[in-house]
Amino acid sequence: MADRKGTPHPLTEPGVWIERIGDRVFLRHVPALFLDRDGTINVDTDYPSDPAEIELRPQMLPAIAAANRVGIPVVVVTNQSGIARGYFGWSAFAAVNGRVLELLGDQGVSVDMVLACAYHEAGVGPLAVADHPMRKPNPGMLIEAGKRLDLDLQRSLIVGDKLADMRAGKRAGLAQGWLVDGEAAVQPGFAIRRLQDGDDVVGLITAIETLGRDYRS
């Protein structure tokens, strides 16, 4: 499948997008910073499909900058049920995602991989799949990124605005995640940290910097 310019989309199957961004080289078995996209990196405009409407959420910028600085991969994992429901296609996703990456670049930060899952039980045609392993809260996107980048998932972090993001992190073997505008909670084997104010962002940055020091030691 390709966009209007004829550029093939990086689809591994009809409902899964996996794109390596840039050419940064990482050490083996490095932890990663996993980020949801809509509602976490950018303002969620309810099935974002227009690049002109994309606006970054500034609180994530210092966290991404910290990961870039200490050499930890930044991996976007996003559910895209709007594609499954027929609201827009992969070309619109590509345009929106390109705008997100462009705006991040304008702020001097970058991501290293983008994974998207368009399967949903209310989907149309081949995208009508219930409980697909790649769709959060299932851990498939995180596990696939772990294989492709040789990640240490147990020491990796995830940030998202929904409990599905936290559940995906827990199921992938991560130990902790940050929930945007949510509340902290401790579950067996997984801790949810809140991400609401400046102090919470400082805590996230500290955790990222600690990972950077630990895996290099």
Side-chain angles (χ1 to χ4, degrees):
M1 186 180 296
D3 61 19
R4 293 177 182 176
K5 297 180 180 179
T7 302
H9 295 320
L11 300 177
T12 60
E13 55 184 273
V16 177
W17 173 294
I18 303 178
E19 182 179 10
R20 181 71 161 91
I21 310 296
D23 56 3
R24 290 208 304 166
V25 177
F26 300 97
L27 297 176
R28 295 186 58 193
H29 219 47
V30 62
L33 173 63
F34 288 99
L35 300 175
D36 173 54
R37 197 190 73 180
D38 306 325
T40 302
I41 297 176
N42 54 280
V43 176
D44 192 348
T45 56
D46 195 14
Y47 303 113
S49 60
D50 184 352
E53 296 180 354
I54 297 302
E55 176 183 353
L56 296 181
R57 301 182 73 256
Q59 72 176 155
M60 284 312 306
L61 295 175
I64 298 174
N68 291 165
R69 187 169 59 251
V70 301
I72 290 177
V74 178
V75 180
V76 175
V77 285
T78 175
N79 288 345
Q80 292 292 318
S81 69
I83 297 175
R85 299 170 191 269
Y87 298 159
F88 54 90
W90 282 116
S91 290
F93 171 84
V96 167
N97 204 62
R99 180 57 175 162
V100 172
L101 298 178
E102 179 183 32
L103 290 173
L104 290 174
D106 290 345
Q107 297 297 320
V109 301
S110 61
V111 303
D112 301 287
M113 181 172 282
V114 175
L115 299 92
C117 178
Y119 293 111
H120 191 273
E121 60 185 5
V124 178
L127 299 181
V129 179
D131 200 32
H132 192 279
M134 286 288 186
R135 179 176 172 79
K136 297 177 292 184
N138 291 324
M141 287 190 284
L142 287 77
I143 292 172
E144 183 64 27
K147 294 176 181 177
R148 290 175 179 248
L149 295 176
D150 193 13
L151 302 176
D152 183 345
L153 291 178
Q154 291 184 340
R155 290 191 295 148
S156 297
L157 311 175
I158 187 166
V159 183
D161 67 326
K162 295 180 175 63
L163 285 175
D165 301 311
M166 303 297 101
R167 291 170 182 148
K170 181 179 180 180
R171 292 175 181 179
L174 280 61
Q176 58 185 330
W178 273 255
L179 184 58
V180 174
D181 296 331
E183 295 296 332
V186 178
Q187 306 171 354
F190 189 82
I192 298 175
R193 319 290 185 186
R194 74 171 197 168
L195 190 61
Q196 296 185 7
D197 56 31
D199 289 341
D200 300 332
V201 173
V202 170
L204 173 58
I205 293 171
T206 299
I208 293 169
E209 292 175 340
T210 299
L211 283 181
R213 288 194 300 269
D214 289 349
Y215 92 85
R216 290 178 181 274
S217 61

